[in-house]
Amino acid sequence: MENTTKSKNTVGGSKDFARKARELIAMMTREEKVSQLMNATPGIPRLGIPPYDYWNEALHGVARSGVATVFPEPIGLAACFNPSLIEKMADAIATEGRAKYAIARRNGNYARFTGLTYWSPNVNIFRDPRWGRGMETYGEDPFLSGVMGTAFVRGLQGDDPTYLKAAATAKHFAVHSGPEATRHEADVHPSRHDLWETYLPAFRMLVRDGHVEAVMSAYNRLYGESCSASRLLLTDILRKEWGFKGHITSDDGAIADITSGHHLADSEAEGDAIALHAGANLECGNAYRHLGEAIAKGYVKESDIDEALFYPLLTRLKLGILLPDDDCPYNNIPQSEICSDDHQRLAVETARESMVLLKNDGALPLDKNIHTLYVTGPGASDAFWMMGNYYGIGRHYTTYLQGIASKVSAGTALNFRPGVMESAPTTNTINYALDEAAMADAVIVVMGNCGNLEGEEGEAIDSVSSGDRLTLTLPDSQMDYLRDICGRKRGKVIVVLTGGGPIDMREISELADAVVMAWYPGQEGGQALADLLFGDADFSGRLPVTFPTDVDKLPSFDDYSMMGRTYKYMTDNIFYPFGYGLSYGRVVYRGATAVRKGDDVVVEVELKNEGEATVNETVQVYVSVPGAGSTAPLSQLVAFEREAVQSGESKRVWIDVPIDRFMTVQDDGSSVLLAGKYVVSVGGAAPSRRSEELGVSMAHAELTIWN
């Protein structure tokens, strides 16, 4: 009988990959071992090992490597509040990645961006809306970030008991969320409470629940240690406490930063040794080339290199790519899967669910037979405005203009002009765009941010803060144009906002009749937007980040304390709250109850749709804990669930919440389940005074927990 016992040395399969990795290491020379510890590894022909570059990206589609389906930027994916959809999307990404990998290898291409180790997802917390890379994250809430990131990891890595479909990487570990300009030398000192309550939970979920294959360390220091050489993070927490079994890689150049940026070592050889001893297995960069010198000077032993190399080799064996492996079930995914029709439809679905309706004074949905419609704005016809960062190149793009044009009647008078530049003032004193807008029954203005205005260090060409934003207000050119349009309008003005984070909404909301936050929706953003604007689909997206009223009232950008930040700690300065979003229906919450049953709390609530359209409602459950002291959050998200509610329908919904989500992080970082009276709030946004002002429906229940 065949032996079906599964080895604990693998991801669950019967192959002893660990033994094979050790055997290969034993056959390598010291120089060969060192060469395999940097992202671009040469081949070792005598051992049958081909060249390989670990550096690849798949944040919202396979990036930087030929054509691939481009999905919404992660901040938009988070707005879906739909982990099953994100898992499905990530599976599609891995499918395309496998097909592309096979083609590259047949062509003898071993270059960067052709491998299967994807440096995604980014589960850093979007703690400050000025951060240029906040678009890469799943928002400001650790629980939402962990749930969505875990779904991405599961979809990308697949469910085979032996092999990985692709390898996901949780980044950037840890406490990294801007400013971009100082990331190579910054030393951050959050409280232990904030570390464990805000900055680490999403990573923990990806390791323990998602079994993520890799973790990428951050550039910055934490408590004086480089995160790429932090025993606390890489050894004590990641390996020992969480039981992480995959490999740890540095961010690009972060090992060199130990010496040149943080000045923690006198030489690169010494910096390499510090990182290696702390647990950094793989370097993105080439500083580890000095490890031979580090051995010669006694900083490290060759056995230390053997131990570090074990984990990256194990990952490649699990992928079935270190050596020829005919048993890997992902070897023969055909090229036809790349940009397939199913993936295009999935791109439309994710983009549609990501968009958030922030305001609607009766302007939406639009009539397809509208007599005159004017589309304008710098982002209306520009595919770059839909991409975000870390993007691939789609086989085709449906711009906002194209999507809208495909919906309206052939008898509609539809006109378009950009009307204004993204950030430069208008010099044309005539500007026909304003006159044309004034004559239309409705005007759709596509404005906001794009990759020229925000992004990672060095990306945003118009940014004065290395990709971050110093203000949330849009450029004067755009705001002046909107003011001119609204000053002359005859019909309704619908503003469609693009961007990777919050925008100053005070004047925009006042001027416009309807406002849609479209984020960076990917290649099918135009089709998704048109479906929503014309009522062929309903808005279901919800904000994964708080839109503050005034950026000047936020704490200092370089202050990593959470007090006064995010819905969990903001008592005022909220324009649109976390979890907020409108639809074409209206769901009212009534009669909430919360009952503990063993290790779960069962939350029950009645939903009634008092509107005229079916709603895909995101039911959100928040908890406020008793007597936890000044550092406790005002409320915290502990569960969410999407529910379809027909027009006029009333339905009861039950949500099981594990009791450990009611635990409170103490000042020393430990978590306890406090005895006392909890308030459980169920509704359409985070509980706050601003939510009440906006008419968000919410039901509350009390729950007493005894130790």
Side-chain angles (χ1 to χ4, degrees):
M1 177 181 288
E2 182 182 358
N3 182 6
T4 59
T5 303
K6 298 188 182 298
S7 168
K8 293 183 180 179
N9 290 323
T10 75
V11 290
S14 57
K15 288 199 169 186
D16 194 347
F17 291 136
R19 178 181 57 80
K20 188 62 180 177
R22 299 289 187 194
E23 290 175 353
L24 288 170
I25 292 169
M27 291 187 284
M28 292 181 189
T29 66
R30 177 185 298 176
E31 291 73 19
E32 287 170 338
K33 294 172 186 177
V34 170
S35 75
Q36 299 296 305
L37 289 177
M38 291 165 279
N39 66 279
T41 66
I44 307 177
R46 66 183 184 84
L47 298 180
I49 296 175
Y52 185 75
D53 197 318
Y54 286 85
W55 189 340
N56 208 346
E57 309 283 355
L59 196 65
H60 52 119
V62 180
R64 303 170 178 174
S65 177
V67 295
T69 306
V70 184
F71 297 96
E73 190 76 15
I75 192 67
L77 297 174
C80 298
F81 278 76
N82 189 344
S84 62
L85 180 62
I86 274 48
E87 184 171 348
K88 185 178 179 181
M89 177 205 72
D91 177 69
I93 294 171
T95 296
E96 295 194 5
R98 273 284 177 174
K100 292 166 74 65
Y101 175 83
I103 296 167
R105 292 305 182 261
R106 286 199 298 269
N107 294 337
N109 184 1
Y110 298 94
R112 184 182 297 177
F113 307 131
T114 63
L116 293 171
T117 42
Y118 293 111
W119 290 348
S120 310
N122 182 343
V123 291
N124 291 131
I125 298 302
F126 198 178
R127 66 178 180 90
D128 191 296
R130 291 165 285 201
W131 187 33
R133 297 189 74 177
M135 68 175 82
E136 301 175 30
T137 76
Y138 298 109
E140 70 185 30
D141 182 71
F143 175 70
L144 176 64
S145 299
V147 170
M148 303 302 273
T150 297
F152 182 94
V153 169
R154 287 174 173 163
L156 196 76
Q157 295 190 167
D159 57 3
D160 187 86
T162 302
Y163 291 93
L164 294 167
K165 192 173 188 180
T169 305
K171 66 182 188 184
H172 310 83
F173 192 59
V175 200
H176 172 64
S177 52
E180 287 294 289
T182 59
R183 66 184 189 175
H184 298 284
E185 65 264 7
D187 185 12
V188 297
H189 287 256
S191 68
R192 295 287 170 165
H193 171 273
D194 286 345
L195 178 69
W196 288 96
E197 202 276 329
T198 296
Y199 294 113
L200 296 186
F203 287 99
R204 183 179 185 273
M205 290 176 68
L206 265 62
V207 170
R208 289 197 166 180
D209 300 336
H211 306 291
V212 69
E213 182 61 20
V215 171
M216 175 181 282
S217 58
Y219 283 114
N220 52 279
R221 275 175 282 166
L222 175 67
Y223 306 137
E225 287 186 309
S226 164
C227 290
S228 295
S230 169
R231 285 184 176 272
L232 171 67
L233 289 175
L234 307 185
T235 297
D236 297 342
I237 294 175
L238 197 54
R239 293 286 187 201
K240 294 181 179 180
E241 185 167 346
W242 295 349
F244 176 62
K245 302 298 183 184
H247 75 265
I248 300 168
T249 182
S250 77
D251 206 338
D252 181 24
I255 300 297
D257 279 346
I258 296 170
T259 303
S260 61
H262 300 301
H263 306 292
L264 298 174
D266 293 329
S267 67
E268 288 197 278
E270 184 182 357
D272 291 355
I274 296 171
L276 199 74
H277 285 306
N281 310 121
L282 184 73
E283 184 215 358
C284 178
N286 59 9
Y288 264 2
R289 71 188 186 278
H290 297 286
L291 280 172
E293 178 187 349
I295 293 175
K297 291 184 175 180
Y299 297 152
V300 298
K301 300 176 182 177
E302 189 166 347
S303 59
D304 298 324
I305 292 177
D306 294 349
E307 184 62 21
L309 181 55
F310 169 77
Y311 294 99
L313 293 187
L314 188 61
T315 295
R316 287 163 68 183
L317 286 166
K318 292 176 186 178
L319 289 165
I321 63 173
L322 183 65
L323 301 171
D325 192 338
D326 294 336
D327 292 335
C328 180
Y330 304 117
N331 286 340
N332 299 307
I333 294 175
Q335 184 174 352
S336 59
E337 290 287 350
I338 301 172
C339 299
S340 68
D341 289 345
D342 285 345
H343 295 176
Q344 309 306 297
R345 285 189 286 269
L346 187 58
V348 175
E349 184 180 2
T350 50
R352 200 162 46 214
E353 290 197 12
S354 74
M355 296 183 183
V356 183
L357 181 60
L358 297 175
K359 178 184 177 180
N360 186 20
D361 283 352
L364 299 176
L366 290 168
D367 186 345
K368 295 175 185 176
N369 295 309
I370 189 171
H371 292 177
T372 56
L373 179 62
Y374 191 65
V375 180
T376 187
S381 63
D382 190 342
F384 182 60
W385 279 58
M386 303 191 300
M387 292 184 184
N389 68 351
Y390 287 90
Y391 50 84
I393 307 299
R395 186 160 284 162
H396 72 89
Y397 292 85
T398 306
T399 65
Y400 301 114
L401 176 62
Q402 290 171 321
I404 292 165
S406 73
K407 287 289 181 182
V408 295
S409 163
T412 294
L414 175 65
N415 203 351
F416 161 73
R417 288 180 189 268
V420 67
M421 302 293 285
E422 65 186 34
S423 58
T426 300
T427 58
N428 186 343
T429 57
I430 300 175
N431 199 356
Y432 291 133
L434 294 174
D435 292 334
E436 292 163 350
M439 293 185 292
D441 293 327
V443 181
I444 300 172
V445 187
V446 182
M447 55 192 292
N449 290 305
C450 68
N452 291 330
L453 303 175
E454 61 179 358
E456 190 176 358
E457 178 190 35
E459 285 186 330
I461 60 175
D462 286 348
S463 173
V464 296
S465 187
S466 298
D468 298 322
R469 290 181 289 157
L470 300 181
T471 176
L472 302 187
T473 304
L474 295 182
D476 290 341
S477 59
Q478 296 188 43
M479 291 304 300
D480 287 342
Y481 184 56
L482 179 62
R483 294 177 191 116
D484 288 342
I485 286 176
C486 292
R488 303 185 190 192
K489 69 175 183 177
R490 176 172 68 86
K492 299 292 187 179
V493 174
I494 298 103
V495 171
V496 177
L497 294 170
T498 65
I503 291 170
D504 188 331
M505 296 301 303
R506 289 172 288 186
E507 188 174 7
I508 295 171
S509 180
E510 182 69 25
L511 291 170
D513 298 290
V515 181
V516 176
M517 188 67 206
W519 313 105
Y520 294 119
Q523 67 177 59
E524 299 300 331
Q527 181 64 56
L529 177 68
D531 288 345
L532 295 164
L533 293 182
F534 290 93
D536 288 340
D538 192 14
F539 286 92
S540 62
R542 300 294 181 259
L543 291 180
V545 60
T546 301
F547 277 42
T549 302
D550 187 349
V551 70
D552 293 334
K553 294 182 179 179
L554 292 173
S556 174
F557 188 12
D558 58 5
D559 178 4
Y560 273 75
S561 168
M562 292 307 298
M563 297 308 295
R565 298 190 185 280
T566 77
Y567 79 93
K568 299 173 78 170
Y569 298 99
M570 292 175 69
T571 57
D572 56 12
N573 196 33
I574 301 170
F575 197 91
Y576 286 126
F578 176 90
Y580 179 75
L582 302 173
S583 66
Y584 291 139
R586 170 169 167 73
V587 173
V588 175
Y589 291 74
R590 299 190 180 98
T593 62
V595 178
R596 182 173 182 180
K597 294 186 176 180
D599 292 332
D600 290 336
V601 172
V602 180
V603 178
E604 182 180 357
V605 69
E606 179 184 348
L607 309 180
K608 182 175 182 181
N609 184 356
E610 296 182 347
E612 297 181 356
T614 297
V615 172
N616 285 311
E617 178 74 0
T618 299
V619 181
Q620 303 163 46
V621 181
Y622 297 86
V623 169
S624 298
V625 302
S630 60
T631 59
L634 301 168
S635 65
Q636 56 188 7
L637 182 71
V638 294
F640 57 89
E641 186 173 293
R642 290 170 61 92
E643 289 286 340
V645 191
Q646 304 292 323
S647 174
E649 179 186 10
S650 294
K651 65 187 302 185
R652 300 293 294 180
V653 173
W654 292 266
I655 300 176
D656 292 341
V657 185
I659 193 66
D660 61 5
R661 295 183 193 166
F662 285 67
M663 298 182 75
T664 302
V665 177
Q666 304 297 287
D667 290 344
D668 64 358
S670 63
S671 294
V672 298
L673 184 63
L674 298 172
K677 188 175 292 183
Y678 291 71
V679 176
V680 179
S681 301
V682 191
S688 68
R689 182 171 64 251
R690 181 57 177 161
S691 294
E692 295 175 2
E693 292 170 354
L694 290 167
V696 175
S697 180
M698 188 162 294
H700 305 278
E702 291 186 349
L703 172 69
T704 300
I705 292 179
W706 305 101
N707 285 342

